[in-house]
Amino acid sequence: MEHDRGGPPLPLPRGALSRGVEAYLRGAGRLPRREEIDRARVYGDDLQLALYLCYEPHYRGFAGVDPELEWDPDLLRTRAALEHRFLAALRADARVHGSVAEALRGLLVEPVHGTGVTYFLRDEGELWQVREYAAQRSLYHLKEADPHAWVLPRLWGRAKAAMAAVEFDEWGGGRADRVHARLFADLMTDLGLDPTYGRYLDAATAEALVTVNLMSLLGLHRALRGALVGHFATVEITSSPGSRRLAEAMRRTGAGPAAEHFYDEHVEADAVHEQVVRHDVIGGLLEGEPHLAPDVAFGIAATEFVEDRFGARLLTDWRASHSSLYAPLAHEVTHIS
């Protein structure tokens, strides 16, 4: 069997579930049983890392892991059991919106006195907290726009064209140096972080894993295409004002020009994307498939829910002067993989 060589190393397990999945990926053990999955904390480190391990073969894979395992039936059955618990919890815990319009209205209102992570970093965050935020977010930003691309074959007409246009911007408009994942790697270099893909997986919290796993869950299932569009809308609508605050945080803390540029780029680009997503992606989807409206609203609510959990975890740790990471950050700049 030919094994992937270019992916990141497998992370350290965080319990029986992730240990079993990791062992299976290495060809050295059994997958966890359904009863073990049913007993685990759904938003906890072990289940979320196990699910992340199941998803990553669909992206760049792991070093030393057979790429054929991407479609291994036993691994897919385990992934399905993990997803069942995750999706059921999200449907139970996320807010229920009465309509897509109601859900969107909540996103479009900016509070006068915000209390989230981007407000904290803008107003009082220190450079070490900016670095931790970037390390945690690297799990997504180094694959930015990729989870959303899976929905493209499942759309048509106006929704498909608009979604493709926004994704094209996210991938640099055809220019490798402007791909947003590359811009984030440059941000990390400014911050003295290692921009290698997957470098901070061992350091990232369960709450960070949840935010990335949600994108993969929604992207990989055609049945959840409406929820994926809702997730995408939430990201794009909230990105411009949040990025403006983060750009100010980068300037205030002296993060560096590439760090500033990444968020300045999102302020401008995502202000345009927000209009396209609302009117053409969501509008086009629901024009052809109006029965997907509850799914779109769920995607918005689930995204808000997981992002609020992630933000609360960061702020709890930082306000107690504790690191939010499971491993300390070194000042380490290496090549970009």
Side-chain angles (χ1 to χ4, degrees):
M1 292 183 181
E2 182 182 348
H3 290 180
D4 278 331
R5 298 171 184 267
L10 283 162
L12 295 172
R14 303 185 187 182
L17 303 185
S18 51
R19 187 178 301 111
V21 174
E22 183 195 20
Y24 191 80
L25 292 174
R26 287 190 286 105
R30 68 163 182 84
L31 289 163
R33 292 185 291 267
R34 182 62 184 258
E35 54 267 27
E36 294 175 290
I37 293 172
D38 289 342
R39 287 197 301 266
R41 290 190 302 118
V42 67
Y43 302 121
D45 282 290
D46 191 28
L47 188 146
Q48 291 299 322
L49 181 59
L51 187 52
Y52 190 97
L53 291 171
C54 289
Y55 284 141
E56 196 58 29
H58 298 292
Y59 294 102
R60 298 199 201 178
F62 291 104
V65 172
D66 181 3
E68 292 292 333
L69 286 171
E70 178 182 5
W71 300 111
D72 178 85
D74 292 329
L75 186 63
L76 291 177
R77 275 190 286 271
T78 296
R79 195 190 90 188
L82 294 164
E83 287 178 326
H84 176 78
R85 289 216 57 212
F86 186 34
L87 184 58
L90 290 169
R91 291 196 185 281
D93 295 336
R95 178 183 175 186
V96 177
H97 293 290
S99 66
V100 173
E102 175 191 301
L104 289 172
R105 276 197 299 273
L107 298 179
L108 293 167
V109 175
E110 276 287 294
V112 177
H113 303 292
T115 57
V117 169
T118 60
Y119 293 92
F120 176 90
L121 290 174
R122 181 195 65 184
D123 297 336
E124 56 186 297
E126 300 177 22
L127 187 59
W128 68 270
Q129 293 160 330
V130 169
R131 296 180 76 234
E132 288 196 357
Y133 182 78
Q136 300 243 34
R137 284 297 197 192
S138 69
L139 271 61
Y140 166 63
H141 279 304
L142 293 179
K143 58 165 71 84
E144 185 167 345
D146 293 348
H148 299 120
W150 279 313
V151 83
L152 284 169
R154 297 153 182 176
L155 302 176
W156 57 88
R158 185 157 59 102
K160 188 187 194 83
M163 187 79 184
V166 175
E167 289 281 88
F168 185 63
D169 284 351
E170 301 286 347
W171 291 320
R175 291 180 51 186
D177 62 322
R178 293 183 60 83
V179 172
H180 285 186
R182 172 64 205 227
L183 297 181
F184 194 81
D186 294 340
L187 170 149
M188 295 179 74
T189 301
D190 260 5
L191 290 169
L193 299 173
D194 184 345
T196 303
Y197 182 89
R199 169 65 180 81
Y200 296 105
L201 179 53
D202 275 326
T205 60
E207 290 79 6
L209 295 175
V210 167
T211 66
V212 184
N213 284 341
L214 175 62
M215 299 182 216
S216 300
L217 168 69
L218 301 181
L220 282 166
H221 291 271
R222 179 179 174 272
L224 296 173
R225 63 193 180 281
L228 188 282
V229 166
H231 182 285
F232 189 63
T234 308
V235 171
E236 294 299 324
I237 290 171
T238 59
S239 175
S240 185
S243 293
R244 182 176 292 106
R245 291 187 287 273
L246 289 169
E248 293 175 21
M250 299 300 139
R251 279 186 272 274
R252 187 178 60 77
T253 58
E260 296 172 18
H261 176 66
F262 177 82
Y263 289 111
D264 284 336
E265 170 78 8
H266 281 70
V267 171
E268 181 178 346
D270 291 342
V272 176
H273 293 170
E274 177 250 311
Q275 298 292 324
V276 174
V277 171
R278 280 199 297 131
H279 296 295
D280 294 318
V281 180
I282 292 179
L285 174 69
L286 296 184
E287 186 177 76
E289 298 187 277
H291 63 282
L292 292 180
D295 291 345
V296 175
F298 166 69
I300 293 170
T303 308
E304 291 178 299
F305 173 73
V306 302
E307 288 293 334
D308 285 348
R309 291 184 77 258
F310 176 59
R313 170 64 185 266
L314 292 178
L315 292 178
T316 297
D317 288 336
W318 290 345
R319 285 177 173 144
S321 298
H322 296 156
S323 172
S324 66
L325 299 172
Y326 291 155
L329 292 178
H331 194 92
E332 47 184 3
V333 178
T334 64
H335 69 286
I336 298 174
S337 65

